[in-house]
Amino acid sequence: MNEPLPSLKKLPRTARTVRSGTQDDMVYAHIFEAILEQRLAPGTKLSEEALGEIFGVSRTIIRRALSRLGHEGVVLLRPNRGAVVASPSVEQARQVFFARRLVEKAITELAVEHATAEQLAGLRQMVSDERDSFARGDRGAGIRLSGEFHLQLAVAAKNAPLISFQRSLVSLTSLIIAQYESGNRSHCSYDEHNRLIDAIEARDAKLAVQQMMHHMDHIDSKLNLDED
């Protein structure tokens, strides 16, 4: 297996939001973003000792961060064998996308009701950054920004349980795309994101949900989930 763990030394984009938090938060943010950017592939072994050396923290702190990621389903905690990045099966992938469609529908409807002009402007900037990332060939950053777009949309929906659930679903989706995407194209269209923002800004819930479901169809169409 390749040795991807040193890539975790890259400072995560969300680090500025956790600098005042605990060391657990910082380690969690690094690993979470590495999964979103697909710098940590499904099945990658997450050695507590190696991670402790990379981050300069104790194995206890690493263990707590991995436990948090395990609760979200993106890390598999194996007794006496250590942790690995999850490798969702075809059936698990289908279940994740089914659940995500339900969650995205609820989030979209709530965002139509609650999203502020400032939040919508922030989402538009995120879409612009996503487009720029793909344009310069930084696919990892583009994929991460695409996922973060959906996380920020959940924040705009103002429902804490949905935000928590969406974090798990978005990171699992990144792992599923890494395993099952056909070709090497962007899985999350920035044009579709912009049309979704337009519908939310117009406070048109029916159109916004239609745009989101079309968007999810587009992501799903790029995955090869045949049993073979």
Side-chain angles (χ1 to χ4, degrees):
M1 180 175 291
N2 295 330
E3 298 292 337
L5 293 186
S7 67
L8 290 176
K9 293 178 181 178
K10 176 181 177 182
L11 187 67
R13 183 173 179 270
T14 56
R16 62 178 179 273
T17 67
V18 296
R19 287 186 193 279
S20 60
T22 66
Q23 290 178 311
D24 305 43
D25 293 330
M26 183 64 78
V27 172
Y28 168 86
H30 273 277
I31 299 175
F32 183 83
E33 290 207 354
I35 290 173
L36 281 190
E37 290 195 358
Q38 297 182 352
R39 287 186 283 120
L40 284 179
T44 301
K45 184 176 180 180
L46 299 173
S47 163
E48 291 180 6
E49 182 178 1
L51 289 170
E53 292 177 358
I54 289 170
F55 295 115
V57 298
S58 70
R59 293 180 66 171
T60 299
I61 289 173
I62 297 297
R63 197 171 295 122
R64 286 199 294 260
L66 292 177
S67 177
R68 182 175 170 187
L69 290 160
H71 180 72
E72 294 180 355
V74 295
V75 166
L76 179 62
L77 304 175
R78 307 173 303 173
N80 303 317
R81 291 190 297 159
V84 295
V85 178
S87 301
S89 67
V90 167
E91 180 57 29
Q92 288 171 329
R94 289 173 176 160
Q95 290 179 10
V96 166
F97 271 82
F98 179 83
R100 187 163 173 188
R101 284 176 183 274
L102 297 178
V103 170
E104 293 286 11
K105 180 178 184 293
I107 286 173
T108 300
E109 291 171 339
L110 288 171
V112 168
E113 183 178 353
H114 296 296
T116 66
E118 182 179 4
Q119 287 172 326
L120 292 174
L123 287 170
R124 289 195 188 280
Q125 182 59 54
M126 192 169 287
V127 173
S128 178
D129 292 343
E130 178 191 352
R131 185 195 303 271
D132 291 345
S133 295
F134 281 113
R136 66 173 179 266
D138 190 347
R139 188 169 185 272
I143 291 172
R144 169 177 49 75
L145 286 164
S146 174
E148 288 181 358
F149 172 91
H150 289 270
L151 293 177
Q152 289 306 308
L153 189 63
V155 172
K158 292 182 172 59
N159 183 289
L162 285 178
I163 294 171
S164 177
F165 197 14
Q166 183 75 315
R167 284 188 68 83
S168 175
L169 291 174
V170 166
S171 51
L172 281 168
T173 297
S174 186
L175 293 176
I176 290 166
I177 289 167
Q179 283 185 258
Y180 299 110
E181 186 177 31
S182 300
N184 193 33
R185 298 168 294 174
S186 163
H187 69 282
C188 207
S189 166
Y190 23 79
D191 290 334
E192 292 168 4
H193 281 168
N194 273 325
R195 287 194 292 270
L196 175 61
I197 296 171
D198 290 342
I200 293 173
E201 193 169 46
R203 306 302 173 184
D204 189 333
K206 182 178 179 180
L207 178 59
V209 169
Q210 287 176 346
Q211 293 290 350
M212 177 60 83
M213 292 303 101
H214 171 72
H215 180 48
M216 295 306 297
D217 287 342
H218 191 199
I219 298 173
D220 201 9
S221 71
K222 295 183 179 182
L223 301 178
N224 180 10
L225 296 179
D226 294 334
E227 290 294 345
D228 291 342

